[in-house]
């Protein structure tokens, strides 16, 4: 039986800013339907890699394939169509403060679909209910807790029903209980939607709770130093630094 095409494939990728190389010669593939986390110490390139994966920046060299198509060599029109196939959430939720939650979630539907207004309202309410925010349609972001804003950002990312979701530090700034609730919601959505999640995070509790796989980046080598199930890597990795990282031991060189 032919192996399914990876939903994301990174080929010999070198990225950075200006003349500064942050990561070099990266190659990895991510299959459909799981939760893959990207982690590593401060300054190792986690967010830089995410920004390249979602097409915000062009790499120095190499390629990024999203569902078999290059987001690097795509024309602007092709890239726009590709980007509609995935959702992105940011650390702050990145909601528009002057809009209600319903209006925030409706934005992608207004921009990219031919739905009527009643259809957009119904679809947005459905997404808010999926993230346990039903009844909060007319609230503004400033009226919500940090965890609720994160979930509202997730609802908006789900608006176009993407197969691929990118999260940038979803648990940042949340207390442990709220973070655990968000982890539970992410697992529920993965099972319900069958979507693929790629999550940049440094929260080890969340990684061990939800991740099927983790890619650990290393600032010194500018590459991937470990790739696998985080629970197995924590116990069995042959790399002493990886075991130290996943067990919260001394990480001075990577900070």
């Amino acid at each position: 039986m032919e192996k399914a095409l990876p939903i994301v494939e990174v080929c010999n990728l070198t990225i950075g800013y200006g003349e500064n190389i942050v990561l070099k010669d990266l190659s990895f593939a991510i299959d459909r339907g799981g939760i893959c986390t990207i982690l590593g110490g401060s300054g190792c390139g986690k967010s830089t890699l995410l920004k390249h994966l979602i097409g915000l920046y062009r790499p120095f060299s190499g390629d990024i394939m999203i569902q078999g198509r290059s987001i690097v060599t795509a024309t602007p029109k092709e890239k726009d169509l590709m980007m509609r196939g995935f959702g992105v959430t940011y650390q702050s939720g990145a909601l528009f403060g002057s809009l209600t939650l319903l209006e925030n979630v409706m934005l992608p539907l207004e921009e990219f679909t031919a739905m009527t207004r009643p259809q957009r309202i119904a679809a947005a309410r459905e997404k808010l209910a999926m993230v346990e925010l039903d009844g909060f349609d007319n609230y503004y972001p400033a009226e919500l807790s940090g965890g609720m804003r994160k979930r509202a950002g997730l609802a908006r990312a789900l608006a176009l029903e993407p197969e691929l979701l990118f999260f940038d530090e979803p648990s940042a700034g949340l207390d442990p209980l709220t973070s655990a609730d968000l982890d539970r919601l992410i697992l529920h959505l993965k099972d319900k939607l069958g979507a693929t999640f790629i999550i940049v995070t440094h929260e080890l509790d969340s990684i061990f709770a939800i991740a099927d796989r983790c890619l650990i980046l290393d600032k010194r080598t500018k590459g991937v130093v470990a790739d696998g199930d985080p629970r197995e890597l924590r116990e069995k990795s042959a790399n002493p630094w990886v075991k130290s990282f996943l067990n919260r031991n001394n990480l001075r060189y990577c900070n």
Side-chain angles (χ1 to χ4, degrees), residues 39-41 169 171 174-176 179-180 183 201-209 216 230-231 233-235 239-255:
L39 56 149
E169 299 284 4
S171 299
L174 301 182
D175 64 79
S179 179
D183 290 342
T201 183
H202 66 279
E203 300 287 347
L204 291 181
D205 288 345
S206 291
I207 291 163
F208 294 128
I216 303 179
R231 290 155 290 270
L233 291 174
R234 177 176 56 183
E235 302 299 326
N239 185 312
W241 180 82
V242 170
K243 291 187 73 172
S244 293
F245 185 95
L246 294 175
N247 285 283
R248 299 179 184 271
N249 293 329
N250 184 13
L251 305 175
R252 284 180 297 175
Y253 83 76
C254 199
N255 289 328

Side-chain angles (χ1 to χ4, degrees), residues 192-206:
K192 180 180 178 66
L193 303 175
T196 304
F197 291 77
I198 298 176
I199 303 175
V200 168
T201 183
H202 66 279
E203 300 287 347
L204 291 181
D205 288 345
S206 291

Side-chain angles (χ1 to χ4, degrees), residues 5 33 41 54 62 68 79 100 116 127 134 148 152 157 164 169 172 174-175 185 193 214 237 244 253:
L5 191 71
I54 64 178
K79 187 174 180 180
T100 65
T116 64
K127 299 305 183 292
D134 39 331
M148 294 171 78
L164 180 58
E169 299 284 4
L174 301 182
D175 64 79
L185 178 61
L193 303 175
C214 68
S237 175
S244 293
Y253 83 76

Side-chain angles (χ1 to χ4, degrees), residues 75-182:
T75 66
K77 184 176 181 180
E78 291 170 339
K79 187 174 180 180
D80 180 63
L81 289 172
M82 291 173 68
M83 293 173 74
R84 296 184 202 179
F86 51 75
V88 183
T89 68
Y90 301 95
Q91 289 188 32
S92 63
L95 301 170
F96 290 95
S98 61
L99 302 180
T100 65
L101 293 198
L102 187 69
E103 291 167 338
N104 267 283
V105 179
M106 286 173 61
L107 278 176
L109 303 173
E110 293 171 351
E111 182 73 19
F112 299 117
T113 78
M115 288 180 172
T116 64
R117 179 171 173 79
Q119 288 172 330
R120 294 197 300 269
I121 290 173
R125 283 178 174 160
E126 178 189 22
K127 299 305 183 292
L128 285 170
M130 287 174 64
V131 299
E132 302 171 358
L133 286 175
D134 39 331
F136 287 88
D137 300 13
N138 296 317
Y139 281 66
Y140 289 87
E143 299 176 304
L144 304 177
S145 68
M148 294 171 78
R149 287 195 295 273
K150 299 265 191 179
R151 284 188 276 138
L154 175 53
R156 188 176 61 189
L158 291 170
L160 297 176
E161 301 185 351
E163 295 182 57
L164 180 58
L165 285 145
F166 294 94
F167 283 10
D168 185 15
E169 299 284 4
S171 299
L174 301 182
D175 64 79
L177 291 178
T178 303
S179 179
D181 281 342
L182 185 59

